[in-house]
Amino acid sequence: MPQQPVATQGTAREVFGAFLKLGLTSFGGPIAHLGYFRTEFVERRRWLDDRSYSDLVALCQFLPGPASSQVGMALGLGRAGWPGLLAAWAGFTLPSAIALILLALSITQYQHLAQAGWVHGLKIVAVAIVAQAVWGMAKSLCPDRPRAALGFLAALLTLVLPLAIGQVTAIAIAGLLGWWCLKPTQNSRGQAHNYPVSRRLGMAALIAFVTLLIGLPLWAAITGSSTLALLEGVYRAGALVFGGGHVVLPLLQSAVVPNGMVSNADFLAGYGAAQAVPGPLFTFSAFLGAISNGALHGWAGGLVLLAVIFLPAFLILIGALPFWEDLRHRASIQTAMAGINAGVVGILGAALYDPLWTSAILNKTDFGLALLCFGLLTVGRVPPALVVLLAGVMGWAMGMAS
């Protein structure tokens, strides 16, 4: 017989300790994170049963945002209430965020690091990692001709239209066409776990989510504030990530590079480094905040952008929990989400070319290293952290030889 949960309540301190261990050791991306969570909280600690955990994973994969972080927030909420939610997020997120902020401060302090060979190696391995993400997401999210066509359409729109406009337009059109053309999938029959979130609070969270998504760009446009524009772009990136954490790359790039807040070289180096640390990929925003040229920079900038990019994930999770049973069975919601997921594959595919390929692959040697890293990731199944380390070493060696 399956094991039943041994307790229904715990403390925020307990939750923080459990998630801090995972935040220090959870390499491998969101799918691996979900496996670590199941082992730790279903099998070992028995905070909830397998059916409730599977249903929670289904909800968070359905929502925009970083699925593994949202699962962690919900686990903390169910275990220790609102303090538990905050403790789970902090324990899982802060280790990698602090490491990336320290890297950003080092690059800022020692300018020659940005031109170092190992940094170029990080840019190259980012190409391989995103190519792996596009490959895997295309197989699961674009398995047939209609969804593959939506992916190609989204890629074309992203390349033709200006960055932010192209991405939002691609997501909207893919969702509308998915709702119109695609067939719904089978409904899940699992039961939702009970969380202490009322429908009134859920509706308030959804209103806050939409208000910020619409109001922040208007406020930034009215005031002309570069800081508000930065916060708006990072919030939008966190709000529009569907299908996988790697999709945050083009969204964040459009928020910080065109306006000069972060150079493209530093952006790509930080993205490569983000693959080598445990925890959620969204902590890349902490690197960007710390290295930014604007009013927000250093430790304060890193922590602020870290909070801003996770805010929409928090709001949409709290907003969806009370309504999940109604939403999950609606055919129109299912088909629209299938279209959106296909569209984000195209957006990520466009980002694989620009800015990644155009900035990192400068000659045949660079292409050879990218191909080697891609092979190690896809065929060799080598952990991403080790591939990043290899790319850094190879990049350093290539720089010494040139």
Side-chain angles (χ1 to χ4, degrees), residues 13-35:
R13 182 176 179 179
E14 173 199 23
V15 171
F16 180 77
F19 276 93
L20 180 62
K21 182 181 76 171
L22 291 168
L24 292 167
T25 58
S26 293
F27 293 91
I31 300 302
H33 298 164
L34 295 174

Side-chain angles (χ1 to χ4, degrees), residues 282-362:
F282 267 40
T283 55
F284 175 41
S285 62
F287 173 91
L288 298 176
I291 207 170
S292 170
N293 297 318
L296 283 175
H297 60 274
W299 281 100
L303 294 176
V304 167
L305 290 199
L306 181 70
V308 169
I309 200 170
F310 277 100
L311 179 58
F314 164 77
L315 292 174
I316 199 71
L317 173 67
I318 298 305
L321 281 173
F323 304 103
W324 172 226
E325 282 303 308
D326 292 335
L327 288 174
R328 68 203 301 239
H329 297 299
R330 295 197 177 191
S332 59
I333 297 292
Q334 293 179 12
T335 54
M337 287 302 304
I340 288 172
N341 285 330
V344 298
V345 176
I347 292 174
L348 192 57
L352 177 60
Y353 170 70
D354 183 19
L356 283 172
W357 186 281
T358 57
S359 300
I361 308 302
L362 307 179

